């Protein structure tokens, strides 16, 4: 087998400017994140200052217009941040992309001009950490089933309910909350509220002890009759479900891109290992079963990259459909099951978290759940047939 670079499918979408930005992102991760990541995994979160450091070098809100403090780049700059975090297995900062690519676009696309100018610059600098709260103990992929309610009162709303598995939940200064403003209307009665976490009635639960992604702060959030001013309604009343569905194409594509990179780097690590590791007097790579298994996974890796980059191209042209994004996410996230096979070739070392392959095995796993589970993806695809 030849050099590791041969494992990677050639890509043509990125310009020289994109690659300069990629180098900046990779350098920041290498210098500011990787050396400390193991310690942060023990602590369950990254330092708050890291958000400001990331903002200072342009890692936050790279695709938001400059007039609102963002980087002003195209979507490929956002892709680069997602990919480089995945490449370095820096899962403690996957919340950067939740903040930049899930939360900020809601404000940009649906928020008022006053909301954009008040909050996006602070989010770009890292002075404001944003989070998004959809999932509840009894409502995951089924957004219509949420029970958190926002009752209209003089001057705004009273918010009551609970959210769980919330990325950036511990550090968040602001949370975009999906709540029922008209419980009798089902999906047509959901609105978005931009909640200040310093408000009376807001509290956080414990940092959740996850199987993987241990440095990414994930928490439960509680709202006890919390007052949300009328001007913190994002978009129109009762349009939240539609807004959420519109954002899922972007979110699912980014998850697919993350998975494609994760599979590529796991294959690279394994190729290196089987060339260097000996058993019964010869390198592991001389074993035909191992070579053939790696060949299968390389073919799968290239197929994943081809599909995901095709969907990326469609997205850049404004043509990516909901079922197209679902197919990309379904295929790419399910393809990461092969990391289990790759881990096998490391023997006992593969079960040690000091080896990247072990952390990849646990940290990549949630991609088949969040952003819509694989089962939901199949339903979206089937309905479009």
């Amino acid at each position: 087998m030849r050099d590791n670079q041969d494992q990677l499918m050639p890509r043509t979408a990125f310009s020289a400017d994109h690659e300069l930005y990629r180098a900046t992102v990779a350098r920041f991760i290498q210098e500011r994140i990787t050396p400390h990541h193991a310690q942060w995994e023990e602590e369950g979160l990254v330092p708050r200052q890291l958000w400001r450091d990331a903002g200072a070098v342009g890692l936050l809100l790279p695709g938001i217009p400059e007039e609102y403090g963002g980087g002003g780049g195209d979507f490929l700059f956002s892709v680069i941040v997602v990919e480089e975090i995945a490449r370095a297995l820096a899962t403690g900062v996957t919340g950067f992309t939740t903040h930049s690519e899930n939360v900020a676009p809601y404000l940009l696309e649906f928020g008022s001009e006053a909301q954009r100018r008040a909050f996006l610059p602070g989010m770009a600098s890292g002075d404001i950490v944003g989070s998004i709260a959809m999932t509840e103990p009894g409502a995951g992929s089924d957004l219509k089933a949420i029970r958190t309610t926002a009752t209209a009162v003089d001057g705004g709303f009273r918010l009551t309910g609970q959210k769980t598995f919330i990325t950036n939940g511990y550090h968040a200064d602001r949370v975009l909350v999906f709540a029922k403003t008209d419980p009798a209307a089902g999906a047509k009665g959901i609105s978005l509220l931009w909640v200040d976490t310093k408000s009376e009635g807001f509290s956080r639960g414990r940092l959740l002890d996850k199987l993987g992604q241990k440095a990414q702060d994930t928490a439960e959030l509680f709202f006890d009759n919390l007052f949300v001013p009328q001007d913190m309604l994002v978009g129109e009343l009762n349009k939240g479900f539609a807004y959420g569905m519109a954002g899922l194409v972007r979110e699912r594509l980014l998850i697919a891109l993350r998975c494609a990179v994760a599979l590529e780097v796991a294959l690279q690590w394994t190729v290196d290992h089987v060339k260097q590791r000996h058993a019964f007097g010869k390198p592991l790579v001389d074993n035909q079963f191992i070579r053939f298994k790696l060949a299968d996974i390389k073919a799968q890796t290239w197929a994943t990259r081809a599909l995901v980059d095709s969907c990326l191209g469609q997205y850049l042209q404004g043509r990516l459909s909901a079922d197209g994004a679902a197919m990309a996410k379904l295929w790419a996230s399910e393809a990461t099951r092969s990391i289990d096979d790759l881990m096998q070739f490391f023997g006992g070392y593969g079960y040690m978290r000091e080896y990247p392959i072990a952390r990849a095995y646990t940290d990549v796993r949630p991609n088949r759940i969040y952003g819509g589970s694989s089962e939901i993806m199949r339903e979206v695809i089937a309905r479009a047939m």
Side-chain angles (χ1 to χ4, degrees):
M1 301 180 82
R2 295 180 293 174
D3 184 79
N4 284 347
Q5 197 63 29
D6 289 342
Q7 312 308 321
L8 302 178
M9 187 173 184
R11 307 176 76 187
T12 59
F14 299 91
S15 69
D17 286 343
H18 290 126
E19 295 306 335
L20 284 173
Y21 181 69
R22 189 186 296 276
T24 297
V25 175
R27 184 167 55 251
F28 180 85
I29 293 172
Q30 181 181 18
E31 294 176 357
R32 290 288 292 108
I33 296 176
T34 300
H36 312 290
H37 201 269
Q39 176 188 341
W40 296 339
E41 287 191 320
E42 293 182 7
E43 296 169 354
L45 76 172
V46 303
R48 180 64 177 81
Q49 180 59 38
L50 187 67
W51 284 85
R52 298 184 178 92
D53 295 342
V57 297
L59 266 68
L60 305 179
L61 277 61
I64 296 297
E66 292 179 352
E67 65 179 301
Y68 300 120
D74 61 23
F75 182 63
L76 290 174
F77 286 90
S78 299
V79 169
I80 286 167
V81 176
V82 170
E83 291 186 339
E84 292 311 305
I85 289 173
R87 194 181 316 279
L89 206 61
T91 53
V93 294
T94 54
F96 285 177
T97 53
T98 299
H99 167 94
S100 299
E101 309 305 331
N102 297 128
V103 182
Y106 280 102
L107 293 180
L108 181 66
E109 296 173 30
F110 308 117
S112 67
E113 184 65 10
Q115 289 169 345
R116 296 185 196 107
R117 295 199 177 278
F119 300 109
L120 290 176
M123 291 178 68
S125 67
D127 291 321
I128 297 172
V129 173
S131 183
I132 187 167
M134 292 186 183
T135 304
E136 298 182 5
S141 295
D142 184 6
L143 183 57
K144 298 188 295 295
I146 64 172
R147 300 178 63 183
T148 296
T149 58
T151 304
V153 296
D154 187 29
F157 305 87
R158 286 289 177 182
L159 181 66
T160 299
Q162 175 184 356
K163 300 290 184 178
T164 193
F165 309 140
I166 305 304
T167 299
N168 300 339
Y170 185 86
H171 279 315
D173 301 293
R174 286 271 172 176
V175 183
L176 189 65
V177 178
F178 283 71
K180 287 280 184 71
T181 41
D182 184 356
K188 295 182 179 180
I190 296 173
S191 299
L192 303 187
L193 300 176
W194 187 227
V195 174
D196 185 346
T197 59
K198 295 187 292 295
S199 301
E200 183 179 353
F202 176 84
S203 61
R204 310 175 208 263
R206 61 188 174 86
L207 281 170
L208 299 177
D209 184 14
K210 306 183 298 297
L211 177 67
Q213 299 190 10
K214 289 181 172 292
Q216 172 56 60
D217 82 80
T218 309
E220 297 172 303
L221 306 181
F222 302 92
F223 313 96
D224 182 9
N225 203 33
L226 183 153
F227 179 71
V228 183
Q230 182 68 41
D231 61 0
M232 290 299 104
L233 172 68
V234 176
E236 296 182 43
L237 188 69
N238 297 329
K239 292 293 183 67
F241 184 81
Y243 297 156
M245 294 303 100
L248 284 175
V249 168
R250 178 190 186 95
E251 180 181 1
R252 288 167 179 170
L253 175 60
L254 288 171
I255 293 171
L257 286 156
R258 180 187 302 140
C259 290
V261 170
L263 187 55
E264 287 170 346
V265 296
L267 176 61
Q268 289 177 18
W269 301 329
T270 308
V271 170
D272 281 344
H273 178 76
V274 299
K275 287 180 177 179
Q276 298 164 7
R277 181 79 173 171
H278 285 65
F280 304 105
K282 61 181 181 180
L284 290 179
V285 74
D286 287 350
N287 182 294
Q288 186 183 66
F289 172 81
I290 293 175
R291 288 201 312 276
F292 282 11
K293 191 66 177 178
L294 292 175
D296 286 343
I297 296 174
K298 179 176 179 179
Q300 181 186 46
T301 300
W302 276 49
T304 301
R305 172 57 64 198
L307 172 61
V308 171
D309 276 4
S310 174
C311 289
L312 173 58
Q314 291 176 48
Y315 184 85
L316 294 173
Q317 297 168 12
R319 298 190 299 108
L320 183 60
S321 62
D323 61 309
M327 284 187 281
K329 181 188 182 297
L330 174 65
W331 176 274
S333 63
E334 290 291 331
T336 61
R337 289 178 183 269
S338 291
I339 292 175
D340 180 47
D341 294 319
L342 295 173
M343 189 174 75
Q344 186 74 12
F345 299 142
F346 285 79
Y349 295 103
Y351 202 58
M352 302 294 109
R353 280 190 63 82
E354 65 188 86
Y355 275 69
I357 194 70
R359 286 183 285 117
Y361 176 73
T362 57
D363 291 6
V364 171
R365 179 61 180 85
N367 290 289
R368 305 209 304 269
I369 299 172
Y370 52 46
S373 65
S374 290
E375 292 71 25
I376 295 295
M377 296 305 96
R378 293 182 176 103
E379 187 65 29
V380 171
I381 296 164
R383 287 181 180 179
M385 289 180 179

